């Protein structure tokens, strides 16, 4: 490509800077915003957690009063699930997936920008509520009738019901976007059997989000209607049912756990082969395992409700289905171990450390997961600290550890600078040791009879010893995570330049510069195998497409879903302010309705205006692609 | 230099080892005092069987997978070694799919076996004369009793437990007295939000829902007292919603029940008469029933036999005269958010009220 064309390309894809950057729609900018915001929320939730565990470290301690404690644990759970885990996994997907499949942007960049603003507004609303002392206070799963108008008359649950409904719009937009992008924008030649496993994982969770989040939105809309309009969906006295909430919530809530875990598995399946310097063994079983988990996770939700008196025949089905998750998980664990085994020499860099550390933690979380799937044992440990320990092993050990590995792995691509290896390894060991001290001990506290969500306990309960061990572990764990935050900041200023491919990794995102140019790839990459960069090097092939896409406008190539043969040009929108305006308008409708129902029609009308602005016709032009011009 | 550094390191190790030993000791201690692991009744015992099956399997699985991982990470790698992909894929198939599958089938068999046992003794029993379910005859081997020896109704309130013995006409709170080695049917419901009934030494949890009744069973081998606690977040008083389950010999229980069934005695001394008047004047009777005085109160616990209880405020305080006084004057600082407002009153009134309460044996 000549210099003129490159300049054109750069001009066409350049994102606005300064104040105008709110109009940016590019996937790398939106992805970075998601990741950065997610990390901020993680830090906030961590501070809440440390305060709570300090409160619980000895009997009758008075750090938090019960109301503050209730708001803290609700916000901790809500933040970690809704404001941290799902957005940051989607954020990594939004940033990395187009690069991994050789695309220049997502399919609907304006939609992803809109999703981000919605997420930001919802998160700020919830934390503003916390600062006002009016944060949700009925737990992140917010059971009615406690969360209903009769027993929670304050604004607290109004914030939950409206902000969560609103927030999930963002998750769904990102999911729709990623599905279309993965199906339609893969580089020529990246047929289904060549898709990187991380992309499969993102595809899997995107479908899960599309099916799991609407029930939650329906549930929380019913709740908002009960509270704000006076309907009786959950009012027992008038024929409503609190169980309806539980079913709707857990129909979402269980897949949610895998929506967080599956991208983490995908990260592990990406990082291990890179540092083992060989392909993953059993690619197909691993992809099938991800698919099976995505599907089966929709048949598990009743295992959160075993303590209700439900027919035991019905419960046994959910018990067996929950245990069955052990099979696809086992397949993946052994595929990872097998890949490490088959390596001719491991490269012990920080990302690998986090991912190898993940395996025993996930194993423990999986084993206790099978334990709590056994109905009788679950009667004892559900809603006790044993469960708290279990899901922290799965969610922190099983998802945040790989996520941190992925940060060490991919942030050099994002920032162009390597993070400190030494600091990274110290950070890992603090987190790993602290995590185990804190949460392994917590299993025992649960077996000793300590329920969840108690803000204090008496001297006679005897939980002081183990809870103070947990506090010590939590402090070490927090130090570990904080060191990684410090490492990220350090790397921005002092990190060594990363180069295009610091890890000698096999996937396409490493074929472009770090950080990638605004257009990602100067020419659309052609894919011949699952590990294009390795095979290219080995065989000396270097084919590129004769590029027929305009470099004057934001245009990229669309391919067919199965074989990824080129079939169309996709014109991608330019920066636009309308996503932000639409997000604000929808926010006025949802958040405003807490205070006055009139805000809902007002917000709806404003949204309509914003949508008109959004869809105002630009200078679109579609041309047929001449197939013969692609040589691959 | 070398030598001394080594020695220093060896010395530095000792406290770490001690710390580890201390942590291990604490954990073992925790294991020994954990009610879930030291079951005291048939139901918790049957649940514990599940643990006894799962725990060794878990240890084996954990150790085997971890050893495999360690070998994979740290094995000697010979230069130019060939690779055996088939072996790797076999490992994925056996380790990842077939072995977990077998383990899960074993566990599921035990799950169903326990469910059948528990529901035949428990769940099916209250429907006597009806169809006994899918499996046929109830398992009556252990415990011997086929029918409930005692029925107790428990209503979850804000934030305490109303305990009713329907066949004896007794209403009390936060304490369940039951015969040792006998089958007690507990019928659970709630008057407002969801609660969960949990006495870990005797049985797992059962959720309490407003508008519906769920059953659970209690059984204790020995005479003792077992702590229970609400396990479903139910609002601001959740942490201080505890109860006590007391297993007694048949004779002791009869004495207890017959005493509880009597109405409260009329006050006789001057002070207690005045105390009763204070009880009415201050409006206590609006929330607390005392059989023989007033049955109107429904918000707080029935106080007819207040003195027979070991604790007050749902297991928050030991039931002493001093604690009762502190609770009356300022319950909100003891159990924040509870339904009882503070009742500041002149000391003489308080003394009289306490004297009256002392008669409620």
């Amino acid at each position: 490509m000549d210099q003129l064309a490159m300049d054109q390309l750069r001009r066409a894809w350049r994102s606005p800077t300064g104040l105008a950057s709110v109009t940016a729609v590019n996937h790398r900018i939106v992805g970075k915003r998601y990741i950065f915001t997610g990390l901020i929320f993680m830090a906030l939730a961590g501070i809440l957690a440390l305060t709570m565990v300090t409160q619980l470290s000895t009997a009758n301690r008075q750090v938090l009063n019960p109301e503050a404690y209730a708001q803290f644990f609700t916000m901790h759970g809500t933040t970690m699930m809704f404001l941290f885990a799902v957005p940051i996994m989607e954020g990594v997907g939004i940033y990395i997936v187009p690069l991994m499949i050789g695309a220049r942007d997502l399919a609907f960049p304006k939609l992803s920008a809109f999703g981000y603003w919605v997420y930001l507004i919802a998160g700020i609303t919830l934390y503003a509520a916390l600062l006002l002392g009016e944060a949700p206070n009925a737990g992140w799963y917010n059971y009615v009738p406690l969360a209903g108008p009769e027993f929670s008359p304050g604004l607290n649950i109004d914030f939950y019901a409206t902000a969560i409904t609103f927030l999930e719009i963002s998750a769904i937009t990102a999911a729709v976007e990623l599905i279309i992008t993965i199906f339609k924008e893969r580089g020529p030649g990246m047929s289904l059997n060549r898709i990187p496993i991380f992309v499969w994982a993102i595809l899997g969770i995107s479908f899960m989000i599309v099916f799991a989040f609407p029930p939650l939105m329906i549930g929380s809309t019913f709740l908002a209607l009960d509270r704000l309009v006076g309907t009786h969906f959950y009012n027992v006295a008038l024929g409503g049912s609190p169980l309806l909430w539980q079913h709707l919530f857990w129909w979402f809530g269980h897949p949610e756990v895998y929506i967080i875990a599956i991208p983490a598995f995908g990260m592990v399946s990406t990082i291990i082969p890179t540092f083992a310097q060989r392909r993953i063994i059993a690619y197909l079983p691993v992809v099938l395992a991800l698919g099976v988990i995505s599907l089966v996770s929709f048949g598990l939700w009743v295992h959160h409700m075993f303590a209700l008196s439900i027919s035991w025949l019905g419960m046994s089905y959910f018990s067996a289905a929950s245990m069955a998750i052990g099979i696809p998980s086992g397949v993946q664990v052994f595929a990872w171990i097998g890949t490490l085994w088959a390596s001719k020499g491991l490269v012990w860099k920080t990302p690998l450390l986090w991912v190898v550390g993940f395996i025993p933690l996930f194993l423990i979380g999986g084993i206790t997961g099978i334990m709590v799937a056994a109905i009788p044992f679950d009667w004892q440990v559900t809603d006790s600290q044993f469960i708290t320990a279990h899901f922290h092993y799965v969610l922190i050990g099983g998802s945040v550890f790989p996520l941190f590995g992925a940060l060490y792995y991919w942030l050099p691509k994002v920032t162009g600078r390597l993070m400190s290896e030494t600091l990274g390894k110290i950070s890992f060991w603090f987190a790993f040791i602290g995590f185990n001290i804190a949460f392994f001990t917590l299993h025992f506290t649960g077996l000793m009879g300590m329920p969840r969500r108690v803000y204090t306990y008496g001297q006679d309960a005897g939980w002081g010893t183990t809870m103070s061990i947990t506090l010590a572990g939590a402090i070490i764990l927090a130090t570990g995570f904080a060191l990684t935050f410090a490492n990220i900041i350090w790397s921005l200023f002092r990190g060594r330049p990363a180069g295009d491919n610091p890890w000698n990794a096999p996937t396409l995102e490493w074929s472009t510069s770090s950080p990638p140019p605004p257009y990602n790839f100067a020419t659309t990459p052609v894919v011949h195998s699952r590990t294009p960069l390795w095979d290219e090097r080995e065989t000396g092939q270097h084919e590129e497409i004769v590029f027929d896409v305009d470099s004057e406008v934001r245009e990229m190539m669309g391919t067919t879903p199965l074989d990824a043969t080129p079939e169309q040009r996709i014109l991608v929108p330019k920066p636009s302010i309308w996503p932000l305006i639409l997000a604000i308008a929808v926010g006025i409708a949802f958040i405003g309705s807490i205070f006055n129902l009139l805000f809902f029609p007002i917000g709806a009308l404003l949204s309509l205006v914003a949508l008109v602005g959004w869809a105002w016709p630009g200078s679109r032009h579609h041309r047929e692609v001449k197939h013969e011009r692609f040589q691959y | 230099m070398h030598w001394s550094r080594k020695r220093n390191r060896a010395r530095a190790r000792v406290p770490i080892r001690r710390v580890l030993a201390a942590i291990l000791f604490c954990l073992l201690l925790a294991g020994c005092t954990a009610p879930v692991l030291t079951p005291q009744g048939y139901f918790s015992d049957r649940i514990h069987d599940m643990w006894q099956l799962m725990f060794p399997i878990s240890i084996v699985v954990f150790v085997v997978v971890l050893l495999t991982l360690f070998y994979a990470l740290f094995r000697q790698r010979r230069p130019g070694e060939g690779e055996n992909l088939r072996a790797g894929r076999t490992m994925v198939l056996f380790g990842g799919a077939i072995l977990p599958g077998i383990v899960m089938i074993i566990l599921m068999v035990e799950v169903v076996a326990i469910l059948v046992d528990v529901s035949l003794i428990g769940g099916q029993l209250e429907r006597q004369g009806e169809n006994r379910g899918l499996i046929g005859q109830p398992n009556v081997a252990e415990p011997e009793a086929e029918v409930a020896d005692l029925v107790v109704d428990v209503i979850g309130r804000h934030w305490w437990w109303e305990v009713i013995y329907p066949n004896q006409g007794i209403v009390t709170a936060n304490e369940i007295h039951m015969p040792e080695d006998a089958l007690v049917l507990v019928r659970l419901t709630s008057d407002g939000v969801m609660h969960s009934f949990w006495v870990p030494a005797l049985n797992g949890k059962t959720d309490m829902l407003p508008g519906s009744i769920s059953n659970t069973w209690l059984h204790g081998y020995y005479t003792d007292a077992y702590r229970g606690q609400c396990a479903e977040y139910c609002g601001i008083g959740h942490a201080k919603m505890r109860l006590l389950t007391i297993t007694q010999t048949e004779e002791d229980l009869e004495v207890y029940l017959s005493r509880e069934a009597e109405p409260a005695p009329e006050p006789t001394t001057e002070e207690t008469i005045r105390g009763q008047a204070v009880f009415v004047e201050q409006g206590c009777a609006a929330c607390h029933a005392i059989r023989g005085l007033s049955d109107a109160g429904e918000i707080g616990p029935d106080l007819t036999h207040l003195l027979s209880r070991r604790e007050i405020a749902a297991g928050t305080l030991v039931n002493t005269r001093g604690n009762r006084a502190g609770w009356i004057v300022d319950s909100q600082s003891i159990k924040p958010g509870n339904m009882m407002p503070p009742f500041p009153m002149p000391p003489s009134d308080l003394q009289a009220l306490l004297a009256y309460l002392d008669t409620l044996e």
Side-chain angles (χ1 to χ4, degrees):
Chain A
M1 216 180 215
D2 58 34
Q3 193 56 42
L4 181 70
M6 291 289 272
D7 286 345
Q8 271 181 344
L9 205 53
R10 192 174 290 278
R11 218 173 305 122
W13 287 89
R14 195 176 49 205
S15 286
T17 51
L19 206 57
S21 63
V22 292
T23 62
V25 294
N26 184 273
H27 79 97
R28 277 174 298 101
I29 293 179
V30 174
K32 267 195 277 194
R33 286 179 181 164
Y34 263 108
I35 295 169
F36 178 74
T37 317
L39 289 176
I40 299 276
F41 281 123
M42 181 198 173
L44 290 173
I47 292 167
L48 297 179
L50 281 178
T51 322
M52 286 191 288
V53 74
T54 310
Q55 161 71 13
L56 291 179
S57 59
T58 53
N60 296 321
R61 202 156 178 188
Q62 291 181 329
V63 180
L64 291 169
N65 65 39
E67 176 58 29
Y69 188 84
Q71 296 191 13
F72 271 41
F73 73 67
T74 306
M75 283 302 285
H76 173 75
T78 307
T79 307
M80 289 305 275
M81 300 303 265
F82 294 122
L83 298 178
F84 163 67
V86 174
I88 204 168
M89 292 300 182
E90 287 190 323
V92 175
I94 284 171
Y95 192 100
I96 289 296
V97 163
L99 286 165
M100 255 186 162
I101 61 177
R104 284 185 169 169
D105 205 336
L106 289 166
F108 314 115
K110 282 202 276 192
L111 193 61
S112 59
F114 165 70
Y116 172 75
W117 295 120
V118 166
Y119 158 53
L120 186 68
I121 293 171
I124 289 174
T125 306
L126 284 169
Y127 272 85
L130 183 67
L131 286 179
L132 297 172
E134 292 284 346
N137 57 359
W140 83 277
Y141 49 75
N142 202 49
Y143 275 1
V144 289
L146 177 61
E150 189 183 351
F151 299 102
S152 298
L155 288 178
N156 313 54
I157 307 296
D158 293 337
F159 277 112
Y160 180 96
T162 53
I164 294 300
T165 315
F166 176 54
L167 173 62
E168 299 324 336
I169 296 173
S170 124
I172 294 174
T173 56
V176 168
E177 169 120 72
L178 287 163
I179 292 172
I180 305 296
T181 304
I182 293 169
F183 275 141
K184 295 301 293 178
E185 296 185 357
R186 302 195 308 275
M190 187 180 276
S191 48
L192 284 188
N193 57 337
R194 292 176 185 160
I195 296 181
I197 291 178
F198 181 73
V199 177
W200 276 117
I202 293 291
L203 183 66
I205 66 152
S206 299
F207 272 109
M208 290 170 75
I209 287 172
V210 168
F211 287 100
F213 279 56
L216 171 72
M217 292 175 76
I218 290 167
S220 54
T221 304
F222 285 173
L223 182 63
L225 289 174
D226 270 14
R227 296 183 58 89
L228 302 172
V229 185
T231 55
H232 300 287
F233 288 104
Y234 304 124
N235 185 349
V236 186
L238 289 164
S241 164
L243 281 191
L244 174 63
W245 169 265
Q246 292 193 24
H247 282 291
L248 286 173
F249 187 88
W250 290 120
W251 167 266
F252 142 82
H254 201 78
E256 161 87 351
V257 176
Y258 293 102
I259 287 168
I260 296 165
I262 287 176
F265 300 160
M267 290 165 177
V268 176
S269 296
T270 308
I271 292 172
I272 283 183
T274 297
F275 294 93
Q277 287 291 304
R278 61 150 296 120
R279 290 168 170 221
I280 195 159
I281 68 166
Y283 168 90
L284 186 61
V286 169
V287 172
L288 288 177
L290 290 175
V292 167
I293 293 179
S294 315
L295 279 176
V296 177
S297 69
F298 282 91
L300 310 178
W301 81 95
V302 172
H303 74 202
H304 295 271
M305 301 156 66
F306 283 160
L308 291 164
S309 304
I310 314 173
S311 118
W312 63 262
L313 204 62
M315 284 197 293
S316 323
Y317 161 76
F318 288 95
S319 178
S322 309
M323 289 189 184
I325 288 285
I327 293 172
S329 307
V331 165
Q332 292 186 78
V333 167
F334 278 95
W336 298 324
I337 292 178
T339 308
L340 292 166
W341 188 317
S343 165
K344 295 203 167 71
L346 296 169
V347 185
W348 280 102
K349 291 283 172 66
T350 310
L352 182 66
L353 205 55
W354 284 91
V355 163
V356 167
F358 143 88
I359 294 178
L361 302 183
F362 177 57
L363 187 60
I364 292 175
I367 287 171
T368 52
I370 302 268
M371 287 180 173
V372 298
I375 300 163
F377 190 68
D378 187 66
W379 289 334
Q380 280 286 19
V381 296
T382 183
D383 274 322
S384 79
Q385 296 293 354
F386 188 94
I387 281 287
T388 316
H390 156 70
F391 68 69
H392 279 87
Y393 264 90
V394 178
L395 292 174
I396 303 295
S399 301
V400 176
F401 270 65
L403 175 71
F404 270 55
L407 288 180
Y408 279 93
Y409 183 67
W410 276 319
L411 276 186
K413 175 55 60 183
V414 177
T415 64
R417 288 170 183 274
L418 291 169
M419 283 152 81
S420 159
E421 279 293 310
T422 323
L423 201 53
K425 282 174 181 160
I426 296 172
S427 166
F428 166 77
W429 284 111
F430 267 77
F432 186 76
I433 292 167
F435 177 82
N436 281 298
I437 293 176
F439 289 102
F440 199 75
T441 318
L442 204 59
H443 290 116
F444 290 91
T445 318
L447 295 175
M448 286 160 76
M450 182 169 177
R452 284 171 82 175
R453 297 174 173 177
V454 293
Y455 78 98
T456 191
Y457 50 89
Q459 205 71 54
D460 61 324
W463 305 322
T465 318
T466 49
M467 284 313 291
S468 35
I469 296 176
T470 295
L471 172 63
I475 291 171
I476 301 172
L477 171 64
T479 313
F481 284 155
L483 285 174
T484 291
F485 283 71
N487 201 351
I488 294 172
I489 295 165
W490 178 88
S491 76
L492 291 178
F493 300 101
R494 295 286 177 83
R496 277 191 298 115
D500 288 2
N501 191 356
W503 318 118
N504 188 21
T507 37
L508 285 180
E509 77 271 28
W510 301 103
S511 67
T512 184
S513 65
S514 312
Y519 42 81
N520 287 356
F521 302 96
T523 53
T524 303
V526 180
V527 178
H528 299 273
S529 80
R530 260 173 225 157
T531 49
L533 301 201
W534 286 348
D535 299 337
E536 180 184 272
R537 184 194 57 207
E538 277 162 18
T539 58
Q541 292 176 323
H542 191 84
E543 286 180 58
E544 269 164 8
I545 256 172
V546 173
F547 204 70
D548 168 67
V549 180
D550 262 355
S551 52
E552 287 160 54
V553 287
R554 294 191 175 198
E555 218 176 37
M556 60 183 174
M557 188 179 296
T559 51
T560 57
L562 300 182
D563 296 330
T565 50
E567 66 168 8
Q568 62 176 328
R569 312 155 159 279
I570 298 173
L571 189 66
V572 182
K574 290 197 280 269
S576 162
I577 190 68
W578 292 107
L580 176 60
I581 293 175
L582 182 62
I584 292 171
V586 180
I588 288 171
F590 277 93
I591 313 293
S593 65
I594 298 174
F595 305 100
N596 190 332
L597 283 175
L598 269 181
F599 278 110
F600 199 82
I602 292 172
L605 277 176
L606 290 176
S607 308
L608 211 63
V609 173
L611 279 172
V612 171
W614 174 308
W616 203 259
S619 57
R620 281 173 177 269
H621 59 298
H622 289 281
R623 284 181 290 156
E624 277 301 306
V625 171
K626 298 180 185 67
H627 281 258
E628 64 279 6
R629 296 187 60 179
F630 295 97
Q631 298 171 355
Y632 69 98
Chain B
M1 238 3 233
H2 231 70
W3 173 85
S4 69
R5 212 182 276 161
K6 226 178 201 172
R7 244 183 60 159
N8 280 345
R9 209 179 294 153
R11 240 186 238 155
R13 250 191 212 151
V14 179
I16 290 174
R17 221 182 273 162
R18 259 189 219 151
V19 170
L20 286 179
I23 290 176
L24 199 66
F25 177 75
C26 286
L27 294 182
L28 285 176
L29 203 69
C32 298
T33 55
V36 174
L37 302 184
T38 50
Q40 301 295 320
Y42 170 76
F43 295 98
S44 50
D45 220 359
R46 201 71 186 88
I47 292 174
H48 187 242
D49 290 346
M50 192 76 228
W51 169 259
Q52 281 183 314
L53 175 69
M54 291 189 298
F55 188 65
I57 295 179
S58 305
I59 297 290
V60 171
V61 168
F62 182 71
V63 169
V64 168
V65 176
L66 222 57
L67 286 178
T68 321
L69 174 66
F70 271 106
Y71 182 77
L73 290 174
F74 302 116
R75 73 190 177 86
Q76 283 290 314
R77 292 182 157 83
R78 281 165 284 120
E81 66 184 9
E83 64 180 25
N84 191 345
L85 261 190
R86 183 185 288 262
R89 285 178 184 147
T90 312
M91 183 172 80
V92 172
L93 181 64
F94 275 88
I98 293 178
L99 282 181
I102 293 171
V103 168
M104 274 149 218
I105 289 168
I106 295 171
L107 293 184
M108 247 352 259
V109 168
E110 176 75 351
V111 166
V112 172
I114 294 174
L115 284 176
V116 169
D117 274 9
V118 172
S119 38
L120 287 186
I121 289 180
Q124 310 289 327
L125 260 182
E126 80 272 16
R127 287 189 256 133
Q128 278 185 43
E130 288 180 26
N131 184 354
R132 287 264 157 80
L134 294 169
I135 314 292
Q137 288 304 303
N139 173 0
V140 289
E142 54 166 18
E144 297 98 40
E146 193 191 323
V147 286
D149 297 290
L150 181 69
V151 179
V152 183
D153 292 345
V154 177
I155 305 174
R157 312 291 300 264
H158 287 92
W159 285 270
W160 55 283
W161 316 80
E162 182 160 20
V163 178
I164 301 166
Y165 297 78
N167 300 331
Q168 287 79 8
I170 297 169
V171 180
T172 172
N174 305 324
E175 235 174 65
I176 299 174
H177 289 252
M178 53 183 259
E180 61 167 334
D181 204 12
L183 205 52
V184 181
L185 172 64
V186 186
R187 299 189 297 204
L188 302 164
T189 188
S190 162
D191 77 334
V193 303
M194 262 185 81
H195 303 276
S196 192
F197 180 86
W198 188 30
V199 185
L202 301 185
N203 203 345
K205 296 173 194 71
T206 308
D207 288 346
M208 308 164 82
L209 285 164
S212 71
I213 295 172
S214 18
N215 293 325
T216 189
W217 290 81
L218 292 180
H219 174 273
Y221 293 132
Y222 319 105
T223 57
D224 205 340
Y226 305 105
R227 173 63 63 198
Q229 183 157 6
C230 177
E232 185 69 66
Y233 185 70
C234 54
I236 194 162
H238 169 63
K240 295 189 171 174
M241 184 171 169
R242 312 204 294 166
L243 83 159
L244 213 52
T245 313
I246 296 163
T247 42
Q248 297 175 306
T249 60
E250 203 76 48
E251 301 80 53
D252 287 353
L253 184 72
E254 245 161 60
V255 173
Y256 170 82
L257 290 177
S258 59
R259 209 139 147 241
E260 289 286 312
E262 289 168 14
E266 278 297 314
T268 47
T269 69
E270 199 186 322
E271 196 181 25
T272 53
I273 292 174
R274 188 159 154 245
Q276 191 184 45
V278 172
F279 187 85
V280 177
E281 279 162 25
Q282 289 281 348
C284 308
C287 299
H288 294 285
I290 293 180
R291 263 172 293 137
L293 176 68
S294 147
D295 286 338
E298 280 186 345
I299 294 170
D302 183 303
L303 300 180
T304 312
H305 296 282
L306 175 63
L307 268 278
S308 73
R309 293 178 208 149
R310 297 191 188 181
E311 296 168 336
I312 57 170
T316 308
L317 296 171
V318 180
N319 191 3
T320 62
R321 192 184 164 113
N323 282 342
R324 287 193 290 275
W327 179 260
I328 292 167
V329 175
D330 186 14
S331 66
Q332 291 300 329
S333 71
I334 298 166
K335 184 171 171 176
N338 83 81
M339 295 293 177
M340 182 160 150
F343 284 93
M345 58 181 87
S348 58
D349 280 7
L350 182 63
Q351 290 307 321
L353 180 59
L354 290 169
Y356 170 63
L357 293 180
D358 282 345
T359 67
L360 303 174
E361 292 183 321

